[in-house]
Amino acid sequence: MKKTIITALFALVAMTGWGQVKCHVEGTLETDAWGNEIIICEAGTDLRVVDEPRLHVKAKDRHFTYDIETDFPKLYEVFFLKQYETGRSFTGKFIAENCNVNVTMYKDKRPRIVTSGEEGRKHAVKDSIEDVRFRNPVEVIDNQIDDESRRAEFYNAGFISTVTKARSLNVDSLPQTYVDSIRQVYDYYMQNERARYTDAGWQLKQRRDSITADLVPFRFAYDAEHPMLWTLYDVLDAIRVLKRAHIYVKFNPSQWEPYLTLYHDKLINYYPDHPVHDQIATAETAYRLQPGKPYIDYTVRNNDGQLVPISTLTKGKVTLIDLWASWCGPCRRHSKAMIPVYERYKDKGFTVIAIARERNRQAMENAVKKDGYPWQSLLEMNDENGVWRKNGADNAGGAMYLIDRDGTILSTSTDAEELEPLIKKALNIE
């Protein structure tokens, strides 16, 4: 009887929570090519908006330690700061639970992570299979393609030149016509995958794609048979990928959609008190934000500093919700393109509610002044109200929602030419 009671108590803990979690991380740098500064943060943290000193860890003599305390085991990420700033970082992930985690950081491959935690060990089995079948072969190809000494062999010279120029653009000091010309060419290459590569590079890219084609189906099959805490984060990732499907080349939603069924059929009561369930619910609601569906309500901070429902600002008007950021070039281009549209219809029942995702007000105000937005912009400081997450934008720079007077979504396009006819129709303008 005593053994039965103890077993039941452990089961109850697994279902309702883990109490205070303390995770100790020990790390070693196999290289100093990326400096000695490491980022350790909860998965999904966007350093462009939420960047706190506690996330930065400096190695001494190529060694670092870090302690995490949370209310629940959570998914964490670890990567080199300088590598992240280049736009191509090798990120390691682990479940921060009551355990020790050992991390080894490398120059050009994912960190090696060994954990003593139960959830971490469960995932390590799946991870080792993925390494052999998918990641290791893919990393060989990626390193070959991205080797600086051989880059010209695999990438189109025009693409290399454009990327170099785009990364060094200083939008505040260069003529706007020059900035726009570089971005136009950059957008062309982003939308035309084949144009980025030489024949040799394209052959390698196709070989890479043939390897990764089975990765998502493998993960899903494994998750369905071996549910664990990490599986809930896989569900969350799947929903976010589906929401952002339009940005992916050759996207196959049928690989990701089964995660929604798996979650509702099998996982919705798995660790029911864990906060990842709230994240999944929010992501799923955002995924449903499509034309013809009602827009959601959420809290924003108005220009008087008061928290108000967004619905109080959109009621009775055809409204464009413009989520943007000073650091997001495409967002600002889309917003500027809307200025003449706004001027034509602002006195006919159309308005723009802009919300800037920033770390400080000055960055927003500088961008507003430079771009000449005629509407006021609200400020989402350090993701305080979770506006991006609730809109399914997550770590993207921004998004747009055109909403009718009754709150129905008319479009999620960011193209002014596509939006103007819809605005005219909603305003009953011939």
Side-chain angles (χ1 to χ4, degrees):
M1 177 66 71
K2 182 177 180 181
K3 184 177 180 180
T4 302
I5 292 173
I6 292 173
T7 302
L9 287 173
F10 276 118
L12 182 62
V13 169
M15 290 297 292
T16 59
W18 292 262
Q20 185 68 24
V21 173
K22 294 184 178 181
C23 176
H24 178 69
V25 181
E26 294 272 348
T28 302
L29 310 187
E30 286 291 302
T31 178
D32 57 7
W34 296 104
N36 69 337
E37 191 162 355
I38 309 298
I39 298 295
I40 301 179
C41 60
E42 192 172 339
T45 302
D46 192 333
L47 296 183
R48 296 169 299 184
V49 183
V50 180
D51 189 7
E52 304 172 8
R54 64 183 177 84
L55 307 180
H56 295 251
V57 185
K58 288 193 175 181
K60 184 177 181 180
D61 298 326
R62 295 192 177 184
H63 180 76
F64 64 90
T65 62
Y66 192 75
D67 290 299
I68 300 169
E69 292 191 12
T70 71
D71 294 331
F72 290 87
K74 294 179 181 178
L75 187 63
Y76 270 70
E77 298 178 333
V78 54
F79 48 88
F80 281 110
L81 175 62
K82 283 188 177 180
Q83 202 173 63
Y84 165 84
E85 291 172 343
T86 67
R88 183 174 179 265
S89 62
F90 294 94
T91 301
K93 294 184 178 182
F94 62 91
I95 295 288
E97 51 188 315
N98 284 312
C99 69
N100 293 319
V101 175
N102 185 271
V103 180
T104 306
M105 306 291 291
Y106 301 99
K107 178 182 178 181
D108 54 8
K109 65 179 181 179
R110 284 188 320 131
R112 180 175 179 269
I113 295 177
V114 178
T115 172
S116 65
E118 180 182 356
E119 290 293 331
R121 288 198 301 268
K122 289 179 187 177
H123 184 263
V125 177
K126 174 186 173 185
D127 208 40
S128 63
I129 299 173
E130 287 191 15
D131 275 344
V132 174
R133 289 183 56 181
F134 304 103
R135 275 191 291 265
N136 291 346
V138 165
E139 283 183 0
V140 170
I141 295 173
D142 285 345
N143 289 337
Q144 187 176 357
I145 291 177
D146 292 328
D147 186 326
E148 285 194 30
S149 64
R150 301 187 63 188
R151 190 164 294 172
E153 182 180 343
F154 301 118
Y155 284 118
N156 179 294
F159 174 62
I160 295 175
S161 174
T162 301
V163 169
T164 302
K165 291 176 182 177
R167 286 178 175 172
S168 62
L169 280 180
N170 186 334
V171 297
D172 293 322
S173 63
L174 294 170
Q176 191 62 46
T177 53
Y178 175 78
V179 172
D180 290 342
S181 67
I182 296 299
R183 284 174 171 166
Q184 185 177 5
V185 178
Y186 183 82
D187 288 346
Y188 164 77
Y189 282 116
M190 291 300 101
Q191 295 166 14
N192 295 273
E193 188 178 30
R194 178 63 183 90
R196 302 175 213 164
Y197 297 93
T198 63
D199 290 342
W202 185 243
Q203 289 179 4
L204 276 180
K205 174 67 167 54
Q206 288 182 309
R207 192 189 311 166
R208 183 190 192 281
D209 290 346
S210 70
I211 296 170
T212 59
D214 294 328
L215 175 57
V216 176
F218 163 78
R219 284 179 175 172
F220 175 78
Y222 195 96
D223 283 337
E225 291 298 321
H226 307 86
M228 62 187 95
L229 177 58
W230 203 303
T231 306
L232 296 175
Y233 285 100
D234 286 343
V235 171
L236 181 61
D237 283 343
I239 299 171
R240 288 171 171 170
V241 168
L242 286 167
K243 176 64 177 178
R244 304 290 294 172
H246 62 280
I247 69 174
Y248 299 102
V249 178
K250 299 178 183 177
F251 178 74
N252 181 7
S254 66
Q255 291 188 332
W256 300 89
E257 288 167 342
Y259 271 102
L260 290 169
T261 302
L262 174 65
Y263 176 71
H264 288 287
D265 287 352
K266 193 173 182 178
L267 301 174
I268 196 166
N269 293 316
Y270 194 76
Y271 295 132
D273 293 332
H274 196 285
V276 71
H277 287 286
D278 290 334
Q279 293 175 268
I280 291 172
T282 299
E284 193 168 4
T285 298
Y287 171 51
R288 309 296 181 192
L289 292 178
Q290 301 295 336
K293 302 293 184 181
Y295 190 58
I296 54 173
D297 203 4
Y298 50 88
T299 300
V300 292
R301 195 173 293 280
N302 67 17
N303 287 315
D304 293 327
Q306 299 174 323
L307 292 173
V308 298
I310 191 73
S311 58
T312 62
L313 306 177
T314 63
K315 188 175 181 180
K317 288 191 174 185
V318 177
T319 305
L320 181 70
I321 303 292
D322 180 15
L323 307 180
W324 71 288
S326 64
W327 41 266
C328 176
C331 303
R332 291 173 65 171
R333 294 201 301 278
H334 295 145
S335 297
K336 284 192 288 185
M338 283 300 303
I339 293 175
V341 179
Y342 171 78
E343 296 291 357
R344 282 193 285 273
Y345 305 109
K346 66 180 182 180
D347 297 324
K348 297 179 174 64
F350 172 65
T351 191
V352 173
I353 295 179
I355 308 173
R357 188 185 191 207
E358 306 288 350
R359 276 192 286 180
N360 62 79
R361 177 175 291 276
Q362 191 62 51
M364 178 190 77
E365 292 178 348
N366 290 343
V368 168
K369 182 178 180 181
K370 178 176 176 58
D371 295 348
Y373 303 138
W375 50 76
Q376 287 191 320
S377 187
L378 308 181
L379 181 62
E380 170 75 346
M381 184 89 78
N382 299 322
D383 283 344
E384 66 167 332
N385 299 301
V387 171
W388 262 243
R389 179 170 49 84
K390 292 170 184 175
N391 279 275
D394 294 293
N395 287 354
M400 285 183 176
Y401 288 92
L402 180 64
I403 306 167
D404 209 344
R405 290 185 176 93
D406 64 358
T408 302
I409 298 171
L410 298 175
S411 177
T412 58
S413 173
T414 57
D415 189 318
E417 291 186 2
E418 292 181 15
L419 291 171
E420 184 167 10
L422 298 174
I423 294 169
K424 290 176 65 177
K425 183 177 179 181
L427 294 173
N428 297 314
I429 297 174
E430 296 297 333

